[in-house]
Amino acid sequence: MGVQSLLALAVAIGVTSYLKLHGASYTAILLGLLVSTVAQLAISLAFSSLIYRWFISPTKSLPHPRDTPFILGNLIPFLSEPWGFPLVRWQRTVPTTTSGFYRVFLGPFDYLIPKSSQAVTTVMTQPYLFHKPAAVRDGLVESLGVGLVAAEGSVHKRQKKLLTPIFGMSRNRRLVPQMWAKALILADKMQELVTKFDGNSDILFMHPLTMAATLDVIGVTTLGVDFDSVTRPDQPILKAYQRVFPSFENQSATEKFFGATLPAIISPHLLFKLPLKPIQEFHQGMTFLQDFCLAQIRQKKQEIEDDKNDNIDVREKDILSAIIASGLEDESEILSHILTILAAGHESTAITLAWAIFKLAQHPNVQAKLRAELQAATRKTEGKEMSLDEINSLTYLRCFLMEVFRLYPAFPAMMREAGNGTLVGDLHIPKGKQIMVSPYAVNRSQELWGDDADEFRVERWEESYSGGAKSSQAFLTFSSGPRICIGKDFATLSLKVFLVVLVSRFRFEEAIPGWHPIIQKGTSLKPQGLKVKVTLL
Ligand code: HEM
């Protein structure tokens, strides 16, 4: 229990005893407690925002954004804009210090932000010292269990060792036909939509389509189950995910406000118990997914047990089979891995695919160059499905995708917390200090990428394999260090397959010249209402 909580308890006991001794009624005592709680909260807020932050904190000498009002600090831009926007501004305007960190204030909470690549390295290469904050971890555990995203320390190390080979090159080779089949189904659906009214062209909202398609890829590759979300938008798994990750487009202004604010200020234990409609929907969605995945796990276990010949096709059929065949027996851990892979794997890829298609529409020259590369490759394969090596030999496709990854990282910020007090150069970071690492801001840093960091310039990846970045920590789309995304190659491959199939079959143009979709505020870079004109070639 911290000093503040002890003080609060002492004041509450004091107030109750005083009122009781003076013969007050229970209503008066309750009222007294309420008033004293509010007063303590106000004093604690004022103390952290007006005194601790400026005069006592060991990080008090670090620079911070200009225009930082007392009390609210930098909270307003953070709540009113997509997270990445203020982070890019601050990355450019706050002076660089020797430690490479600066600080921002979200209401009473102070965050350190690593600005230099050295500071980013310090945080990302020591994931068990700078771990995920308890509130973030608790939220993940509540929904997904202790899978790789939520695990810390030795548990994370063991899980990563178990899962890394399952996501290796030999699996990717096996996945290509499944991904290809799903990309063709998406292309067929898009063809059906654009030819519906006798023409060969129409405006399509891409994000719902990419969500359904990437969910289908993850379903077939992870569980060996065909969700069929692209052709059946009412199928229950898709509906469950729409409940778990609601799109802001379908929410009222109040729901949007609370959806962006409550997770930042209330502990997940409390948040998940609130009698609010989105929370109830979340639980219903999660319960459905848990029951569904558990049934799949039991069925798959049986298949593997029944296979007396250790048949590779049974043990390696999909990611779930490979996890069970690896010898992991704990059913709740297997369930956490599957829920984690399904959740982490499809939304991020869907967001990236939607942005990729939007960038093609915005940049016809890039699209033409990519199509030319694909047509030349397709001539060689005589229009048949490409192999992993053929897909990976498409150099312009790689360059295009890297530039999309750089400018549109699906997760604009990652939260961390110092597990122990530590020294970084001359800066003492105290235990419990909150840290925010921003892939969005680092990927657009002019110090690391040059003056044209904001420009969508595919050539930078043609000129140099690293895109000309001045540090290996300049590209954080998939995080870096021991907690780097395990599905990085899986996601890259499935995006390449989707792009090969879609760009070969359709031309993408801006639906409205110069229009840009709004980016959802919060933890992901979800585009709202992303639409493009799609023409069948
Ligand atoms: C474009 C697509 C993707 C992006 C941008 C992305 C990005 C990220 C990022 C930034 C992290 C680190 C989060 C943090 O530490 O706070 C992460 C972790 C993770 N991702 Fe991905 N991801 C993508 C696709 C996938 C896919 C397809 C899968 C699985 C099939 C996956 C599974 C995971 C897992 C299990 C972790 C936790 C790794 C660990 O903590 O060791 N991701 N991802």
Side-chain angles (χ1 to χ4, degrees), residues 194-401:
V194 297
T195 55
K196 206 169 170 183
F197 301 109
D198 294 337
N200 67 342
S201 173
D202 206 348
I203 288 176
L204 298 185
F205 287 94
M206 287 310 304
H207 189 226
L209 287 167
T210 62
M211 278 290 274
T214 54
L215 184 59
D216 284 352
V217 166
I218 209 88
V220 79
T221 54
T222 305
L223 298 173
V225 176
D226 191 353
F227 293 158
D228 210 6
S229 325
V230 168
T231 47
R232 287 179 43 225
D234 59 340
Q235 69 85 6
I237 301 282
L238 185 62
K239 288 263 158 228
Y241 271 113
Q242 285 164 353
R243 285 184 162 150
V244 174
F245 301 121
S247 173
F248 272 27
E249 284 157 59
N250 307 324
Q251 293 185 331
S252 67
T254 327
E255 281 174 336
K256 276 183 203 165
F257 176 76
F258 285 118
T261 315
L262 287 185
I265 57 175
I266 293 186
S267 92
H269 295 304
L270 188 61
L271 183 70
F272 284 122
K273 288 190 179 64
L274 292 181
L276 299 173
K277 193 166 157 249
I279 305 281
Q280 285 159 357
E281 296 251 332
F282 175 88
H283 286 306
Q284 284 164 3
M286 273 325 296
T287 307
F288 178 87
L289 292 169
Q290 280 163 357
D291 292 348
F292 176 82
C293 291
L294 210 51
Q296 296 302 320
I297 292 169
R298 290 177 183 162
Q299 187 184 328
K300 198 78 61 179
K301 262 188 172 169
Q302 196 58 52
E303 278 171 26
I304 291 178
E305 264 170 43
D306 292 348
D307 169 42
K308 302 286 176 238
N309 304 325
D310 285 352
N311 187 341
I312 185 97
D313 286 335
V314 177
R315 299 165 69 82
E316 287 292 321
K317 192 170 159 211
D318 42 57
I319 290 170
L320 173 56
S321 311
I323 293 176
I324 296 172
S326 75
L328 182 64
E329 284 179 1
D330 180 347
E331 197 173 73
S332 70
E333 184 176 330
I334 301 176
L335 178 62
S336 299
H337 289 321
I338 293 304
L339 288 171
T340 301
I341 293 166
L342 292 186
H346 89 275
E347 214 210 352
S348 47
T349 317
I351 291 173
T352 312
L353 181 56
W355 284 118
I357 291 171
F358 182 72
K359 293 320 276 184
L360 289 172
Q362 271 191 326
H363 298 269
N365 295 344
V366 170
Q367 189 178 160
K369 194 165 171 185
L370 179 57
R371 187 166 297 111
E373 180 180 69
L374 300 183
Q375 279 166 347
T378 318
R379 269 196 296 278
K380 278 194 215 151
T381 57
E382 294 169 346
K384 289 194 212 103
E385 173 192 306
M386 292 182 195
S387 66
L388 178 73
D389 297 332
E390 282 160 345
I391 293 167
N392 283 341
S393 70
L394 298 166
T395 50
Y396 194 69
L397 177 61
R398 173 194 176 263
C399 297
F400 166 70
L401 197 52

Side-chain angles (χ1 to χ4, degrees), residues 124 132 148-151 156 160 163 167 218 222 319 340-341 344-346 348-349 352 405 409-411 413-416 439 476-479 482-488 490-492 495:
M124 301 317 288
K132 297 195 180 175
L148 206 51
V149 177
H156 175 264
K160 194 113 187 192
L163 293 179
F167 280 87
I218 209 88
T222 305
I319 290 170
T340 301
I341 293 166
H346 89 275
S348 47
T349 317
T352 312
F405 280 146
F411 304 112
M414 298 180 279
M415 302 303 178
R416 296 291 187 262
L476 290 185
T477 300
F478 293 100
S479 181
R483 291 212 82 125
I484 194 166
C485 172
I486 203 168
K488 174 174 160 288
F490 176 113
T492 306
L495 285 163

